[in-house]
Amino acid sequence: MGEGQDHETRIKAALDTYEKAQKGSKKLSLRKAAQMFDVPASTLHHRAAGRETRQESHVHQQKLSVGEEKIIAERCLQMSSAGFPLSAAMLKQIAGSVLRSHT
């Protein structure tokens, strides 16, 4: 798991813990939840208020969807495991074909 994914996982866990505490009899502040999961209190506060993640907020700027990126990654892995490592030009060609398939 990458560092960014780990950070996002901790933010989600802190927010879940905070929300469960608010529904139950125990009260937990956002600041305390942030400390428990080692995430910035300001980030947790913004997420609780409905702010999107960086990834979610930039989806409209991406040429490829997450699913299309996975397709490209799978093709790369298949070709590499078959003994055909991809050059940058070949990768660009595969990405271009995926892009053309959805337009």
Side-chain angles (χ1 to χ4, degrees):
M1 184 180 294
E3 185 177 322
Q5 291 173 325
D6 178 54
H7 183 71
E8 187 59 37
T9 300
R10 287 185 285 118
I11 291 170
K12 288 179 182 179
L15 193 55
D16 287 345
T17 301
Y18 169 76
E19 289 172 350
K20 286 177 185 174
Q22 297 307 303
K23 291 177 184 176
S25 60
K26 290 187 176 182
K27 296 299 175 191
L28 178 68
S29 70
L30 279 171
R31 184 170 305 282
K32 184 65 176 173
Q35 288 173 349
M36 290 170 57
F37 289 90
D38 191 30
V39 296
S42 59
T43 301
L44 197 56
H45 176 76
H46 291 145
R47 292 291 177 81
R51 186 177 289 183
E52 296 177 321
T53 66
R54 285 186 183 188
Q55 184 178 9
E56 292 167 344
S57 66
H58 292 281
V59 166
H60 66 282
Q61 297 173 331
Q62 304 298 314
K63 289 186 177 185
L64 297 170
S65 69
V66 173
E68 290 167 332
E69 288 178 1
K70 287 181 180 178
I71 289 170
I72 292 170
E74 287 172 6
R75 285 187 190 172
C76 291
L77 291 172
Q78 288 171 349
M79 292 184 75
S80 179
S81 66
F84 299 102
L86 295 176
S87 65
M90 292 170 71
L91 179 59
K92 189 174 181 178
Q93 185 178 13
I94 291 171
S97 69
V98 170
L99 269 174
R100 285 188 296 277
S101 72
H102 77 71
T103 56

